[in-house]
Amino acid sequence: MQEHDARILRGAAIPTALTGLIAMALGFAFAGLHGLLGGVFATLLVLGSFAVSAYVIAWTGERNPQLLLPVAFLVYTTKIGVLAVVLLVFGGSTAFDHTAFAFSALACIVVWLGGQAVASKRVKQFYVEPDPQPAAEPEREGEQAAASPGEQR
């Protein structure tokens, strides 16, 4: 993973983890242990899915930039599919508070996207790769390159 990708990932993950901690505390305050578990589950789900997708997209961008858009689309649809399966499997569960889960997940998603946008704006990333060594200027016919009068031949 390149440095700018790692900075963007940290810029999104750290605020999201802090938001998750706040959501867990609020869940515990309003719904007890079930609210805390809802906050924990939502935070881990958002952090895990968004971090894995950011890593896969960064890895693809390093190896084959032409595949970046198809891979990003595949990662997005996979993430939505996994979320749908998780919601179907745990929809009737009484292990955690569903309201705390929903608000915690929503808060974490919004903070992740905001943190990723801010970190992307701050990172100085080339969108065009510069040449490793500048090309030599071709000499023009009939002209001499900035020679003093005593050095002309």
Side-chain angles (χ1 to χ4, degrees):
M1 178 176 284
Q2 295 180 357
E3 176 59 29
H4 60 271
D5 291 329
R7 287 174 50 193
I8 292 171
L9 186 61
R10 282 191 307 269
I14 292 171
T16 304
L18 294 174
T19 301
L21 290 174
I22 293 168
M24 289 177 222
L26 289 173
F28 184 72
F30 287 110
L33 183 61
H34 289 288
L36 174 68
L37 291 175
V40 167
F41 187 53
T43 303
L44 291 178
L45 183 67
V46 170
L47 278 173
S49 65
F50 277 75
V52 166
S53 65
Y55 180 77
V56 168
I57 290 169
W59 182 81
T60 303
E62 283 181 35
R63 306 248 178 329
N64 195 349
Q66 291 81 13
L67 290 178
L68 201 56
L69 187 61
V71 168
F73 181 71
L74 179 66
V75 165
Y76 175 75
T77 54
T78 303
K79 186 172 22 177
I80 296 300
V82 168
L83 178 61
V85 168
V86 166
L87 291 177
L88 287 173
V89 168
F90 291 105
S93 174
T94 58
F96 59 90
D97 184 57
H98 294 267
T99 305
F101 171 81
F103 282 118
S104 300
L106 180 63
C108 287
I109 289 169
V110 168
V111 169
W112 179 282
L113 294 175
Q116 189 174 23
V118 169
S120 296
K121 186 175 182 275
R122 290 183 180 167
V123 169
K124 305 243 187 293
Q125 180 178 357
F126 292 120
Y127 56 89
V128 175
E129 293 291 326
D131 285 337
Q133 44 186 322
E137 290 187 31
E139 291 188 29
R140 297 183 193 139
E141 256 181 64
E143 292 183 19
Q144 294 179 351
S148 65
E151 296 178 335
Q152 291 181 358
R153 295 182 203 180

